Amino acid sequence: MFHENNDEREETIMKTTTSDAVRKDQLHAAMEQLETAVREMFESGRFHEYLTMLSRFHNYSFNNILLAWCQNPNISRLASYQTWKKQKMQVRKGEKAIKILCPIPYKYHAERNRTNEDGEIEKEIITINGVRFRLGNVFDISQCDGELDSIVTVPTDNSEELHRAVQQLMDSEDRIMYDPDLAGSSANGFFSPVTGEIHIKEGMSDLQTFRCILHEQAHSLLHGEDDAKELERGIKEIEAEAASYLCCSALGFPQTICYSTGYLAGWSESRTTQELLQSVSRIEKCARGILDWVTSLTDLKVVDC
């Protein structure tokens, strides 16, 4: 989930006679655009908007969704020219392609010294795996003629399907439980990093309960007793809420996200772009794990946007 598949990657690699120097300049410009967008996303209060976008693109990486978003903030579904063609959709003549990064794996051999059993230094050849990037072309569905049918029906709150899904998640592990002590509390649930237990308030609607389970499951994956001890509580809540939001949105449920955009901007000011990328990568990985967990235990399906 949330990463380009190999077929898509191969289809989107640019086949061009452009010189290597020009291609390097284009790639460098794309990377600079990406770094600027990461910073702007956190500091402008558009993080919520970006999460909504991320939840729609299950086959693309964080970097590529953000890069595509910079070029067209209204994107809703992306694919290569050939993929749209297979779906009987035709990219309109004259439409400008959206550029994404296409990872190209490669291997090379290198020589290094090693000490043998006799204590002598000798040479050995090792194989090293590497990745380089090229730009590729994709198009949004708004740039195509044709129509795609939605293949997923989203269950409504308190529907039989959602009620069953909640029960399946609650019954999946002993550490997830209803807690009568939360009755009358403002908290809908909590995760205990000491015991690993997830406590959920009884009596909420199925959708409230479902959201709460996902939020606390995100805490359990990201903020265990030995994990992220240095993170401030506000950041932990941002990460858990963002992961839960991604999952619920990917499954088609209406969502809101609760955090202070001012706090988010203040936190991002003291972080490097790389640190911000790592944080969102943690959220993305966590959301992918939760989504796999939910879809393996229930009949809920990811919405095909």
Side-chain angles (χ1 to χ4, degrees):
M1 296 286 182
F2 299 108
H3 290 283
E4 297 89 339
N5 58 51
N6 290 332
D7 291 340
E8 187 76 19
R9 199 160 56 217
E10 290 173 2
E11 287 179 326
T12 57
I13 296 174
M14 295 174 63
K15 295 181 179 179
T16 177
T17 57
T18 307
S19 70
D20 288 343
V22 172
R23 281 197 294 269
K24 287 181 180 179
D25 287 344
Q26 291 174 338
L27 183 58
H28 180 70
M31 296 302 290
E32 286 190 334
Q33 184 181 32
L34 180 60
E35 289 191 9
T36 300
V38 170
R39 179 65 59 182
E40 180 185 348
M41 177 186 70
F42 279 92
E43 296 179 358
S44 66
R46 300 181 72 189
F47 187 55
H48 179 191
E49 183 182 344
Y50 173 73
L51 288 177
T52 302
M53 192 67 61
L54 179 59
S55 70
R56 297 176 184 170
F57 296 96
H58 319 301
N59 295 323
Y60 289 84
S61 68
F62 162 75
N63 286 350
N64 274 335
I65 298 170
L66 188 54
L67 190 58
W69 188 38
C70 293
Q71 298 167 71
N72 181 354
N74 298 314
I75 55 174
S76 61
R77 186 168 183 175
L78 298 173
S80 68
Y81 181 92
Q82 291 300 326
T83 297
W84 283 128
K85 189 174 181 180
K86 290 176 183 178
Q87 297 293 327
K88 303 188 185 309
M89 300 283 287
Q90 181 59 51
V91 177
R92 289 188 293 271
K93 186 175 181 180
E95 290 287 351
K96 184 178 179 181
I98 295 170
K99 305 297 183 182
I100 63 171
L101 299 171
C102 300
I104 312 297
Y106 66 92
K107 296 181 180 180
Y108 66 94
H109 299 293
E111 188 179 80
R112 71 176 181 184
N113 294 330
R114 63 180 293 271
T115 304
N116 61 25
E117 295 178 353
D118 298 325
E120 300 172 337
I121 303 298
E122 60 183 19
K123 302 289 186 181
E124 69 171 351
I125 303 298
I126 60 172
T127 300
I128 299 175
N129 296 315
V131 177
R132 61 177 179 269
F133 291 89
R134 295 183 64 182
L135 290 178
N137 295 332
V138 292
F139 297 87
D140 184 60
I141 192 171
S142 63
Q143 298 174 285
C144 303
D145 290 324
E147 186 173 348
L148 289 177
D149 295 327
S150 176
I151 61 174
V152 176
T153 300
V154 179
T156 57
D157 193 5
N158 296 322
S159 65
E160 181 179 344
E161 184 180 5
L162 182 55
H163 182 75
R164 184 170 59 251
V166 167
Q167 290 307 308
Q168 288 169 327
L169 295 180
M170 292 294 302
D171 295 340
S172 66
E173 301 179 45
D174 292 339
R175 67 186 184 89
I176 305 176
M177 64 194 75
Y178 287 114
D179 188 343
D181 291 338
L182 288 173
S185 169
S186 60
N188 291 335
F190 68 89
F191 163 69
S192 171
V194 177
T195 64
E197 294 175 342
I198 291 175
H199 296 250
I200 304 296
K201 179 192 289 185
E202 293 185 272
M204 298 188 294
S205 73
D206 289 328
L207 186 53
Q208 284 179 303
T209 303
F210 182 76
R211 289 171 175 169
C212 186
I213 292 173
L214 267 57
H215 180 98
E216 302 308 332
Q217 177 73 341
H219 276 307
S220 74
L221 294 176
L222 291 170
H223 312 132
E225 189 173 16
D226 297 325
D227 299 325
K229 288 185 176 180
E230 302 302 319
L231 285 180
E232 302 169 42
R233 183 178 182 278
I235 297 304
K236 292 180 181 179
E237 287 303 314
I238 288 172
E239 290 187 341
E241 186 71 4
S244 171
Y245 179 92
L246 280 174
C247 293
C248 287
S249 296
L251 293 166
F253 294 111
Q255 273 292 286
T256 56
I257 190 166
C258 301
Y259 61 78
S260 167
T261 54
Y263 183 86
L264 184 67
W267 169 74
S268 66
E269 287 177 0
S270 61
R271 266 66 178 182
T272 66
T273 300
Q274 185 59 37
E275 287 173 330
L276 296 179
L277 283 168
Q278 289 172 352
S279 184
V280 179
S281 179
R282 279 165 49 82
I283 294 170
E284 179 191 11
K285 182 179 179 180
C286 176
R288 187 168 64 250
I290 296 174
L291 200 57
D292 288 345
W293 177 65
V294 170
T295 55
S296 69
L297 293 173
T298 73
D299 296 326
L300 300 179
K301 304 296 182 185
V302 173
V303 174
D304 187 5
C305 300

